Amino acid sequence: MERVRVGIIGAGNIGAAHARSLAGEVAGAEVTAIVDPDRQRARAVAATAGARVLPTVADLLHDAEVDAVLIASPDECHAEQALAALAVGKPMLVEKPLAPSLADAVAVMAAEAAGGRRLITVGFMRRFDPGFVQLKAQLDSGCVGAALLVRCIHRNARASYGLRSDRTMTNMLIHDMDSCRWLLGEELTSVQVITPRPGPDTPPGQFDPMLVLFRSASGAVIEMEAFANAGYGYEVSCHVVAERGLLDMTDGGYLRRTEHRRQVRDIPEQWLGRFGEAYRLEMQAWVDMLHGRDRPAANTWDGVAATAAACAAVTAIATSEWIDVTLPDCPDLYRCGT
Ligand code: ISE
């Protein structure tokens, strides 16, 4: 099999992890170029992946040895870089969110739809996580009937870039918004946010934890807890109360040890510990797709719908009212729905 030559924009946490995975674990790919404003960090990642460091994003996009692009830069850069990659006609995986602003996400979708070819995959890796995949398979099988209530928990040990409630929605809880659309196979239609009194580590004007309630198109109710500075570690779970039973996706199978009058469970420091396998499977599916195999992944419409939900949740923080999630029209290019 010819190897797809990937250029990576962003050599931070997730860019470095994807580079390692593409270079060492994923079949059918190699990393040929890296760009990052921090040249030292770019050089370190390039050395482990056997890639070259290029000076600018434009150099990477036009490089003859880059067939596909992985955008792992800060969230605010995603849309502009995706538009530039569309302009040169290269397929790309854009890390979530597609954009933190709905207008930017829609602009990317409009540009891709105008070109008439689906080039963008959005990095919602939970769709490949064995725990979430099993949860979806069981829901789809109908064994417990349709979902009525969903409870999601998403906690980080600390907010990596300082705590901002809007970022909690557009960077962190956006995963749960995508997971719920995908699990239920329907859109989120309205949202309400409930905030407790500020804790000692919460900056003035920000909220943490937050309780975020969504209604779905069919009338299911979803409760998401976001706790960005939970301190103790990283944790994600999803519990579904359905018509004829319950489904519980707890911690993705971490070992719980039971000893004399004691139970102990290891908790990961951050998400790469919990979702390492999901990221690897996501990369393999993307590369398989680039080789022409049909592999399910989040597309640009999914990216737009998740950003729309996150932006409505940001608005809802200030009002504590139910806020409608406003979706644009879905272009014909996407199989609309989830
Ligand atoms: C981070 O940006 C991610 O994308 C992780 O997957 C997520 O679980 C974490 O909460 C975010 O902060």
Side-chain angles (χ1 to χ4, degrees):
M1 181 202 262
E2 288 265 304
R3 290 198 290 188
V4 173
R5 298 168 301 176
V6 179
I8 301 183
I9 304 175
N13 222 348
I14 193 65
H18 286 322
R20 271 195 304 276
S21 173
L22 285 166
E25 301 171 332
V26 167
E30 65 184 305
V31 183
T32 48
I34 310 264
V35 63
D36 191 287
D38 180 337
R39 292 289 286 245
Q40 209 178 334
R41 141 171 128 163
R43 274 196 293 273
V45 174
T48 58
R52 290 165 301 140
V53 174
L54 296 180
T56 68
V57 169
D59 291 322
L60 183 137
L61 294 178
H62 288 97
D63 194 272
E65 288 175 24
V66 169
D67 307 315
V69 182
L70 197 157
I71 300 180
S73 51
D75 297 359
E76 290 68 23
C77 305
H78 291 181
E80 188 186 331
Q81 291 167 351
L83 287 169
L86 284 174
V88 296
K90 294 198 177 174
M92 72 200 86
L93 185 138
V94 184
E95 259 307 332
K96 44 55 62 178
L98 179 57
S101 119
L102 183 56
D104 288 350
V106 170
V108 172
M109 180 171 73
E112 186 183 47
R117 265 195 318 150
R118 277 162 58 162
L119 292 173
I120 300 177
T121 297
V122 180
F124 285 120
M125 83 300 179
R126 286 186 187 181
R127 293 178 179 226
F128 298 92
D129 174 66
F132 274 99
V133 166
Q134 228 180 316
L135 181 60
K136 175 150 176 75
Q138 298 218 358
L139 260 179
D140 287 352
S141 78
C143 58
V144 291
L148 301 172
L149 288 176
V150 183
R151 292 204 178 87
C152 305
I153 286 180
H154 187 160
R155 300 182 185 135
N156 271 295
R158 75 200 75 79
S160 323
Y161 308 102
L163 187 111
R164 266 177 41 191
S165 305
D166 63 332
R167 279 188 69 93
T168 300
M169 299 301 180
T170 61
N171 177 274
M172 180 179 158
L173 215 60
I174 196 162
H175 276 294
D176 304 78
M177 298 169 198
D178 179 68
S179 305
C180 287
R181 292 181 60 251
W182 172 70
L183 286 171
L184 302 184
E186 57 178 342
E187 296 298 349
L188 306 178
T189 53
S190 58
V191 57
Q192 183 184 39
V193 178
I194 297 170
T195 54
R197 65 170 171 74
D201 298 330
T202 308
Q206 309 300 319
F207 299 97
D208 192 50
M210 289 187 277
L211 204 56
V212 182
L213 301 175
F214 278 98
R215 282 185 196 283
S216 75
S218 73
V221 171
I222 300 153
E223 178 196 287
M224 299 176 187
E225 178 205 305
F227 197 177
N229 267 330
Y232 71 86
Y234 182 79
E235 192 169 7
V236 162
S237 65
C238 182
H239 309 270
V240 180
V241 178
E243 290 163 334
R244 293 187 301 281
L246 312 175
L247 297 169
D248 252 8
M249 213 275 315
T250 49
D251 50 10
Y254 284 105
L255 190 70
R256 189 173 64 181
R257 194 172 76 242
T258 305
E259 302 169 333
H260 181 61
R261 290 196 281 110
R262 204 163 89 108
Q263 272 188 337
V264 192
R265 201 190 74 187
D266 289 340
I267 295 177
E269 162 77 13
Q270 45 101 301
W271 57 91
L272 286 172
R274 162 66 182 85
F275 284 111
E277 180 65 352
Y279 283 116
R280 188 187 67 75
L281 292 168
E282 174 194 44
M283 281 300 111
Q284 186 65 66
W286 180 52
V287 168
D288 288 352
M289 226 165 63
L290 296 172
H291 282 288
R293 266 164 260 142
D294 189 22
R295 299 295 310 273
N299 63 31
T300 313
W301 171 254
D302 297 312
V304 166
T307 291
C311 292
V314 172
T315 306
I317 298 172
T319 65
S320 67
E321 303 286 321
W322 281 95
I323 298 292
D324 286 342
V325 176
T326 314
L327 287 174
D329 288 337
C330 183
D332 291 339
L333 184 63
Y334 311 102
R335 250 178 290 121
C336 284
T338 50

